[in-house]
Amino acid sequence: MIKRIAALVKKEFLIIWRDPKSRMLIVLPPLMQLFIFAYAMTMEIKNIDVAVLDRCNSYESRELISRFQNSKWFRKFTFVNNEKEVKENIETQKAQIALEINSDFSSNIKRGKSADVQVITDGRQTNTAAIAGSYAANIISEYSGEFEKGKKSRIDMRIRSWYNPNLEYLYYTLASLVVLLAMVITLLLTSMSIARERELGTFDQLIVSPCTPFEILLGKTIAPMGVAMCLSAFMALIAVFYFKMPFRGSILLYFISTIAALLSITGVGLFISAISKTQQQAILGAFTFQTPASLLSGFISPIEDMPKVFQYITLIDPLRYYMIIGKGIFFKGMEFWDVAANTIPLIIIALITLGGAMWLFKRQLD
């Protein structure tokens, strides 16, 4: 069995290396893109969740918090008791920003001194962090201007962006592109594998060969996975060493999660290939999947800003989980349990998609 699978893998590598570019026919994808773009792609930042650490608990601090609560930009407020809870809310993305008010906030205002307020933003989402920080600055500035002692008393606000302190948009783009391009490469290679056999007339030779359906699919999985893994590693190295993007996480966790993500996408590609009769149909099917998957992954706009129905749809999008893992490992050194929480859904999606491709392939052979 190992020899048969090795022969199939070698054959797939040779085909992938020698296969010319296929032309793409576009019929359904533009309609789907129009629908998805209209609802999912928005650059307006709203429904921002806030973690509040109010050490003062005074009339002045509660009044400031109420200004945020009455703003149309902020949605859910979680009141925490210490710095650890603030960190947990930002790390797990339960809050996009955090508001910290010192215990001497009220007394400093009454004495005409500077009152400190710290706003913490999540620098992993550069656009969200910048805009949310701007919203907070405007609210605090307006509140500060209403004091009777405005000439002497003021609020000194300090904004800090965690995980991406300088809000380098290039870092955010690179981390996302490594994930997106790995998905595109894997999807295109696997979606054309079986369809190519049909188009070239070699599918019947596979059927009469001593290889079982499982061995055939395994051979068609290993080659694209190997190519995609090598390219993913190469792109990550370019991002780290050429663009100087920080890599704070575990290399082992990154590659394990990448394997799980690519397996889930491979299952989708093989399923598309099994129902396609030509390579053009396979490419069209891959494009039909990858565009909504990219839009719903949270790359362009936060998932929290999408309509509820689209938020539920993202739960079956493997790119959503892979995007969280990629940015989390690059930017903040995501730990094992956080990586596992997003890798398990990828494994489940992989089992379902690969199982569906196997069932469909066997059905066609019968």
Side-chain angles (χ1 to χ4, degrees), residues 200-221:
L200 297 177
T202 57
F203 187 69
D204 292 337
Q205 296 177 10
L206 282 178
I207 295 176
V208 299
S209 68
C211 298
T212 65
F214 172 77
E215 294 171 356
I216 294 174
L217 285 182
L218 187 60
K220 291 186 173 297
T221 299

Side-chain angles (χ1 to χ4, degrees), residues 45-72:
I45 306 301
K46 55 184 180 180
N47 298 327
I48 302 171
D49 295 334
V50 185
V52 179
L53 177 57
D54 186 4
R55 297 188 180 94
C56 187
N57 287 320
S58 63
Y59 168 82
E60 287 77 9
S61 64
R62 289 192 295 269
E63 179 64 17
L64 175 60
I65 295 170
S66 69
R67 302 298 177 92
F68 281 83
Q69 291 174 329
N70 293 327
S71 171
K72 64 178 180 178

Side-chain angles (χ1 to χ4, degrees), residues 86-93 95-96 120-125 160-168 171-172 245-246 248 327-328 330-334:
V86 171
K87 183 178 179 181
E88 289 176 355
N89 276 269
I90 297 293
E91 278 188 352
T92 57
Q93 296 183 338
Q96 282 75 54
I120 298 173
T121 62
D122 188 349
R124 289 170 293 181
Q125 291 284 353
R160 295 180 181 177
S161 296
W162 286 359
Y163 315 121
N164 188 6
N166 297 323
L167 295 180
E168 294 284 350
Y171 293 169
Y172 168 76
M245 187 175 73
R248 298 188 175 95
K327 291 188 292 186
F330 268 100
F331 290 144
K332 72 183 187 70
M334 184 180 284

